[in-house]
């Protein structure tokens, strides 16, 4: 057992609970239908106070809003139960749910111009927290084909245009296309220094990490950081922090994917959205399904990697998330 496993064993008591923001989830996925209420309560008990439901297919946009409605109702009930008689006059603490709308590059063959038009109307009607996840993905040979890359780039730019028009931050999905994405972003009017933004589930190298931060994006760190063998990722995070400080990071679960290594029954089960879409996680093995309540393990491993006290890092990540998402959420004392 590695030191990281010993410190953050999922079967042992978690460290002190800190207020956390899960900046990227797919908690609306069908794999959570069987126990979503239970997982909301567990996430709340583990310190998760804000959670973002992130879009990827137009056909599921309505599901995001339906899930948010259910979660808001459940979190209010949890909050009411958690308040003692002595503290009844204090402000209630909820697990707040937010939405990002976006057309994911890996599913580019399913997206149409009508979906872009519909999304633009939705942004005006029901303003989300952010636009995402959007970007470029050339992970497979099929996705590398010129027509696929061209359509991805067109949809990427169209959604960046929406972000500029609506003054909203974006959540980037960039995989095996970091140089191309950086070039496109540098040529576009979107300014992350002004509008915010997250390079979700960052997977590039050291220079790419620093390049995205230089553009104004925060790097999204997932449960992958808990794996001591993820040396490229850990070096990239460290390099970005060495240059820009811990203000350049946010954390996320990306659930049901990216399960922290100490929460897995077997290593190597992570699918990552787009690698093994199957029936949209309907058949995901429950024992390796990631959940929002696992976010403290990401915090703990990142604290160990950066040699930053967990308490200090947790508060900084909260403020980083607010900066990236252009919010002013109060950090609970």
């Amino acid at each position: 057992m590695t030191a990281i496993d010993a410190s953050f064993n999922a079967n042992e008591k978690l460290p002190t609970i800190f207020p956390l923001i899960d900046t990227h989830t797919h908690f609306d996925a069908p794999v959570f239908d069987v126990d979503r209420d239970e997982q909301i309560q567990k996430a709340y008990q583990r310190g998760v106070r804000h959670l973002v439901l992130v879009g990827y297919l137009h056909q599921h946009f309505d599901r995001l809003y339906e899930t948010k409605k259910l979660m808001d109702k459940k979190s209010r009930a949890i909050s009411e139960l958690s308040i003692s008689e002595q503290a009844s006059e204090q402000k209630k603490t909820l697990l707040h749910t937010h939405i990002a709308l976006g057309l994911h590059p890996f599913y580019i063959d399913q997206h149409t111009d009508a979906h872009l038009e519909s999304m633009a109307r939705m942004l005006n009607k029901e303003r989300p927290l952010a636009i995402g996840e959007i970007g470029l993905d050339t992970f497979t040979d099929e996705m590398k084909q010129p027509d696929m890359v061209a359509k991805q780039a067109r949809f990427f730019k169209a959604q960046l245009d929406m972000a500029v028009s609506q003054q909203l931050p974006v959540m980037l999905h960039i995989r095996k296309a970091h140089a191309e994405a950086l070039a496109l972003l540098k040529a576009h009017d979107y300014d992350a220094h002004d509008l915010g933004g997250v390079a979700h589930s960052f997977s590039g190298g050291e220079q790419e990490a620093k390049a995205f931060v230089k553009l104004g994006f925060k790097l999204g760190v997932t449960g992958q950081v808990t794996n001591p063998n993820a040396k490229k990722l850990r070096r990239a995070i460290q390099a970005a922090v060495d240059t820009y400080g811990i203000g350049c990071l946010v954390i996320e679960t990306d659930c049901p994917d990216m399960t922290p290594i100490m929460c897995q029954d077997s290593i190597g089960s992570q699918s990552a959205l787009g690698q093994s879409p199957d029936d949209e996680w309907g058949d995901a093995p429950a024992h390796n399904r990631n959940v929002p309540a696992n976010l403290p393990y990401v915090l703990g491993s990142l604290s160990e990697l950066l040699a930053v006290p967990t308490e200090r890092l947790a508060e900084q990540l909260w403020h980083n998330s607010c900066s990236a998402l252009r919010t002013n959420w109060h950090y609970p004392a």
Side-chain angles (χ1 to χ4, degrees):
M1 178 177 288
T2 64
I4 201 167
D5 288 326
S7 298
F8 300 99
N9 190 312
N11 294 320
E12 297 176 358
K13 185 178 179 180
L14 277 165
T16 303
I17 299 303
F18 300 102
L20 300 173
I21 298 171
D22 195 341
T23 60
H24 197 112
T25 80
H26 298 285
F27 195 54
D28 60 306
V31 72
F32 294 112
D33 288 350
V34 295
D35 64 346
R36 187 174 283 106
D37 282 359
E38 178 185 349
Q39 293 303 331
I40 293 171
Q41 186 162 358
K42 286 183 177 179
Y44 180 85
Q45 292 169 345
R46 299 277 179 88
V48 179
R49 294 294 175 260
H50 291 271
L51 178 153
V52 185
L53 302 171
V54 182
Y56 59 101
L57 277 172
H58 180 271
Q59 69 192 66
H60 296 321
F61 284 178
D62 288 341
R63 190 175 76 192
L64 293 171
Y65 286 96
E66 292 167 2
T67 303
K68 171 176 164 50
K69 186 182 297 183
L70 291 171
M71 291 184 65
D72 287 346
K73 182 178 180 181
K74 179 64 177 179
S75 68
R76 284 193 295 270
I78 293 171
S79 178
E80 289 168 2
L81 287 172
S82 67
I83 297 175
S84 67
E85 292 182 4
Q86 292 80 7
S88 60
E89 298 302 317
Q90 294 181 4
K91 184 178 179 181
K92 294 181 181 179
T93 301
L94 303 171
L95 196 171
H96 301 274
T97 305
H98 312 274
I99 289 174
L101 292 180
L103 300 173
H104 192 297
F106 191 82
Y107 301 104
I108 194 64
D109 61 333
Q110 299 183 48
H111 303 326
T112 68
D113 287 341
H115 292 160
L116 279 175
E117 295 167 5
S118 175
M119 178 177 159
R121 290 193 296 270
M122 289 187 74
L123 294 178
N124 287 316
K125 183 180 178 182
E126 298 185 75
R127 184 177 177 85
L129 179 67
I131 290 179
E133 53 190 292
I134 66 175
L136 298 175
D137 190 322
T138 60
F139 182 73
T140 66
D141 289 339
E142 180 183 4
M143 301 303 292
K144 294 175 184 176
Q145 297 305 308
D147 59 331
M148 297 289 270
V149 173
K151 186 178 179 183
Q152 283 189 53
R154 183 167 67 85
F155 272 66
F156 188 13
K157 286 185 280 189
Q159 292 177 93
L160 286 173
D161 288 343
M162 293 183 201
V164 173
S165 175
Q166 296 288 338
Q167 293 291 284
L168 288 171
V170 299
M171 294 181 172
L172 302 177
H173 170 100
I174 311 297
R175 189 165 54 164
K176 300 293 184 181
H178 290 86
E180 295 83 355
L182 284 165
L184 190 153
L185 287 164
K186 289 175 181 177
H188 198 275
D189 289 338
Y190 184 89
D191 184 355
H193 290 289
D194 179 40
L195 297 179
V198 177
H200 145 68
S201 187
F202 184 77
S203 61
E206 296 176 36
Q207 296 308 313
E208 293 159 338
K210 290 188 283 188
F212 277 98
V213 176
K214 186 176 181 179
L215 285 180
F217 292 94
K218 307 296 186 188
L219 304 181
V221 181
T222 69
Q224 288 182 315
V225 76
T226 67
N227 187 345
N229 293 323
K231 296 178 181 178
K232 175 186 172 183
L233 171 64
R234 291 161 70 88
R235 285 197 301 267
I237 292 171
Q238 187 69 68
V241 170
D242 287 346
T243 302
Y244 294 100
I246 58 175
C248 69
L249 306 175
V250 299
I251 56 175
E252 56 179 89
T253 57
D254 196 21
C255 65
D257 292 332
M258 304 300 177
T259 308
I261 195 169
M262 65 286 291
C263 301
Q264 297 180 31
D265 283 355
S266 59
I267 299 174
S269 65
Q270 302 174 50
S271 64
L273 179 56
Q275 291 184 30
S276 303
D278 296 322
D279 62 345
E280 298 176 86
W281 304 291
D283 292 330
H287 59 284
N288 279 328
R289 178 193 61 170
N290 199 9
V291 296
N294 288 340
L295 192 60
Y297 296 110
V298 182
L299 169 67
S301 291
L302 191 58
S303 171
E304 182 181 82
L305 173 66
L306 302 176
V308 175
T310 310
E311 182 175 9
R312 177 189 166 206
L313 182 60
E315 185 169 358
Q316 182 63 57
L317 289 169
W318 180 284
H319 296 306
N320 296 350
S321 300
C322 290
S323 175
L325 299 173
R326 290 305 186 257
T327 69
N328 58 355
W329 299 329
H330 174 71
Y331 184 73

